[in-house]
Amino acid sequence: MTSPWTVRAPGESERESFALLARAHEAAVSDRATLTGVRKLVQESWQRSLSHRVDPSLAGAEPELTAEQLRDLRRRHPLASVLPVVHNLLIRHAFEAGLIVAVGDESGRLLWIDGDHVLRQKAESMLFVEGADWSERRVGTSAPGTALALNHGIQIQRAEHFNQLAHPWSCTAVPIHDPDSGALLGVIDITGGDDAVAPQTLPLVEAAVAAVEAELRIQRLGLPPDGGATARFQVALTPPPPRKAAPAGLQVLGRDHGQLEVGGANLEVSPRHAEMLTLLAWHREGLSAERLALLLSDQAGGVDTLRAEMVRLRKALDPLGRAFTISSRPYRLDASIELDAQRVLAFLERGAHRVALGAYRGPVLPSSTAPGVAAIRAEVSARLREAMLSDASAELLLEYARTEEATYDTEVWRACLELLPARSPKRATVVARLKRIDAELG
């Protein structure tokens, strides 16, 4: 009896006929389906691939999105907020296992890819890259595209792929659904060798998807679709259960005004108050008045000015009540606070370079001239740059190079050139960028 995993790789004559079938599929759909040892769902997927006129001998088209369009698409996608869950459950293990983890949107476009660096470079030859469309309509049978087409988890092994360039690869993918509406949000895919379709891989990805959907539901707690009107009407009848308070958060990356989030309330703070809160969040043990004044300004006699500004800061924090207060002697934040700059560094320390870059919105309070803030800004920027240069894949390093911070960094662009495969079409863009930098900077 033929094993369901026994798939005969097409011969040269068959490959030639497949290209013809892609142009005249109506008369030849059954030809490919007659291959022995092929699962029915794979045969049906091949038929759909032929109906979409996919050429099995060609790689999918180059991503049509610009780097900025891709960043904007990822920034707005609902799965962006749950990437840490994907990293903790799958990506950090993928490096050790020699696998790639991809997260795509509901249309099959790959938004995030991370995992084994060498494998990622090899996958570029079949255009398995961020921004590429891996739906059945574009590349034919594959785990991410077919999982979305069937709306359930699937494993595709080697020659089961419709595209010949994907025959050395195997993959497992599971779609992600909106926890409230049930609508498709995207797909998680694991790609690699035979380990990517091991018996335990599919349950592992299904468990990760369940965790992602649960996290999405948790993030939405307390946000009813009618803006809270129903909750206010029902509160006298059934008071909501107590919720564990989330840690306060301070957003200072890429912005001059700080954004403070405490207990579901948002408060924008002035640039000076943002500097003070950033320094106190960075130095969790607290700072004396003299030390804090020195970190805010290198001018002598700044303690009296600091104390007056601290009074104004505490008054600005009054709307938050006792949820967020500042102690004296030393000055110290009473509540636990999560600084977005520290979160980026935490991702880097865990090896989640892609997640770290996605969370990096820009330099810390870029317009600040406070010595202490400038030091924090330089440290975060330097550690991110070093991590990108030492550990990032070619694709991720290119993404970093296109940020405003690295756009004129010739060392980063030259590193991209070294990492890209010799035949990568992206090399021309990198060379052109280096020439432009030389011309502009002389």
Side-chain angles (χ1 to χ4, degrees), residues 256 272 275 294-298 364-375 377:
D256 295 320
R272 192 52 159 180
E275 292 172 339
L294 188 63
L295 292 174
L296 287 169
S297 174
D298 55 7
V364 175
L365 298 175
S367 297
S368 173
T369 58
V373 173
R377 180 169 60 233

Side-chain angles (χ1 to χ4, degrees), residues 2 76 92 142 166 184 197 220 269 283 311 349:
T2 304
R76 292 183 288 104
R92 65 190 183 97
S142 73
L184 272 174
V197 289
R220 295 176 185 178
V269 296
H283 300 277
V311 172
E349 290 173 358

Side-chain angles (χ1 to χ4, degrees), residues 83-103 112-120 128 169-170 172 188-193 195-196 201 204-205 208 350-355:
L83 283 180
V85 176
V86 181
H87 177 268
N88 289 335
L89 296 180
L90 295 176
I91 294 175
R92 65 190 183 97
H93 303 293
F95 289 95
E96 302 172 357
L99 297 169
I100 301 173
V101 177
V103 179
W112 296 278
I113 303 177
D114 212 337
D116 184 85
H117 298 157
V118 175
L119 214 60
R120 288 195 61 192
F128 192 86
W169 303 82
S170 296
T172 295
I188 295 180
D189 169 81
I190 289 184
T191 292
D195 287 343
T201 305
L204 176 66
V205 182
R350 297 203 300 266
H353 298 92
R354 182 164 301 279
V355 182

